[in-house]
Amino acid sequence: MMDAAVLNKPLDIEVKKVSIPVPNADEALIKVYCIGVCGSDIHYYEHGKIGRYEVKEPLILGHELAGEVVEIGERVTNVAVGDRVAVEPGVACGRCGHCKSGRYNLCPDVVFMATPPVDGAWAEYVTIRSDFLFQLPDEMSYEEGALLEPLSVGIHAMMRGKATLADRLFVSGLGPIGLLAIQAAKMVGITEIYASDVVPFRRELAKEMGVETTIDPLNENVKDQIAELTGGKGVSLVVETSGNERAISDTVKIVNNGGRIVLVGLPTAGEIPFDVNQLIDGEIDVYGVFRYANTYPAAIQALSRSQINIEKIITHRFALSNIKEAVEIARTEKDTSIKIMIYPNKEV
């Protein structure tokens, strides 16, 4: 048996004893070293559902993890017992048209950790198909390995937005995804980066992590500030991660003609007004981002060869036994918390 944090119903989570999973022939058993708390985890904890996905039975949350291989199935050849690995949490079918074309994040049959009814990994052990495991270099920490998951969203946003080192970038929203999108932008060579958030703590951290200037959208006009900061040149790429409806709508006003908008943050409303005339007249491209695909190897290579410190976004660390305190801090103390890391197999 092992310990796992089980969400019984909204706002009701507890650590229980559950059976250690047994790997199938093509799977590996991973001893979880650390696992992040994601915004989706908090949304399920608070509301019990996200869109069409609803927690109808007790569920283990968590999908941003790294750990050690402790057992492998008989057909596994790409990893061995003792390997330190990052875990990509969405297992696609590998057979549909999306998978065959390389866009397996759109697979209709994907099994994604902590998306009801699939259990996640706020637990001591987890199993997963071995081709979704990626060995970590010796110099890369388990924490960096766990952060490869949200970093992958940022990398995918850069890929979708066709980012180049010639771009001037504006990032709206400085939660974990926004901050890691900035690191992904630095990896592709973008040097002129501006960003906005309503929380002063997050704006200050963004400056430490490479943003040229930050903007307070509650008290400053973002479009005017960008024009002033860039000497009237504006920005060619906008990445929106906040999910705020006004911020999403304003992306069209902020980006240059001929520029690109990448929408990452999920809004509460399904329909948001855009200035369609500006989209058409300005030949502005708009891209959606759903998770990521084919990012982990690139993320590991780029991160291991750079001086970028993505662990800066970790503000709190908790043992699994303190999961209730961890999720409450993530839920209620957004002014001082960014990424909370959970350690299932050790005290913190």
Side-chain angles (χ1 to χ4, degrees), residues 73-232:
E74 60 188 23
R75 294 207 304 268
V76 173
T77 59
N78 63 310
V79 294
V81 172
D83 283 352
R84 300 166 64 253
V85 293
V87 179
E88 184 174 347
V91 177
C93 76
R95 296 181 297 274
C96 70
H98 292 303
C99 287
K100 292 294 188 181
S101 67
R103 301 183 71 179
Y104 62 84
N105 56 316
L106 302 179
C107 173
D109 296 318
V110 66
V111 176
F112 200 91
M113 287 184 182
T115 299
V118 181
D119 277 328
W122 282 356
E124 292 182 274
Y125 297 91
V126 67
T127 54
I128 192 162
R129 208 170 75 199
S130 68
D131 53 316
F132 286 86
L133 295 173
F134 299 89
Q135 192 165 353
L136 298 176
D138 292 341
E139 68 274 11
M140 187 173 289
S141 69
Y142 280 116
E143 285 80 2
E144 289 175 299
L147 291 173
L148 291 176
E149 200 278 338
L151 177 63
S152 284
V153 178
I155 291 173
H156 192 55
M158 294 301 119
M159 294 167 64
R160 290 281 290 155
K162 299 177 171 59
T164 73
L165 68 160
D167 280 313
R168 286 183 297 275
L169 169 67
F170 172 69
V171 176
S172 172
L174 293 170
I177 298 299
L179 290 168
L180 292 179
I182 289 164
Q183 306 316 301
K186 291 167 63 179
M187 288 176 181
V188 300
I190 297 177
T191 58
E192 193 171 344
I193 305 172
Y194 307 92
S196 70
D197 198 282
V198 299
V199 178
F201 168 68
R202 296 185 175 201
R203 295 198 300 269
E204 288 304 311
L205 183 56
K207 290 178 184 177
E208 292 179 24
M209 297 183 72
V211 170
E212 193 151 327
T213 306
T214 60
I215 301 167
D216 178 0
L218 293 180
N219 298 300
E220 299 174 276
N221 183 292
V222 175
K223 180 181 179 181
D224 292 347
Q225 284 296 306
I226 288 176
E228 181 179 340
L229 292 166
T230 61

Side-chain angles (χ1 to χ4, degrees), residues 32-41 61-67 86-89 112-114 120-122 142-151 153 176-177 180 292 296 313 338-342 344:
V32 180
Y33 183 88
C34 61
I35 180 166
V37 177
C38 175
S40 64
D41 296 320
L61 294 172
H63 61 266
E64 305 174 354
L65 69 148
V87 179
E88 184 174 347
F112 200 91
M113 287 184 182
W122 282 356
Y142 280 116
E143 285 80 2
E144 289 175 299
L147 291 173
L148 291 176
E149 200 278 338
L151 177 63
V153 178
I177 298 299
L180 292 179
Y292 40 79
Y296 271 66
I313 74 168
I338 304 274
K339 177 58 65 180
I340 294 175
M341 198 66 72
I342 306 299

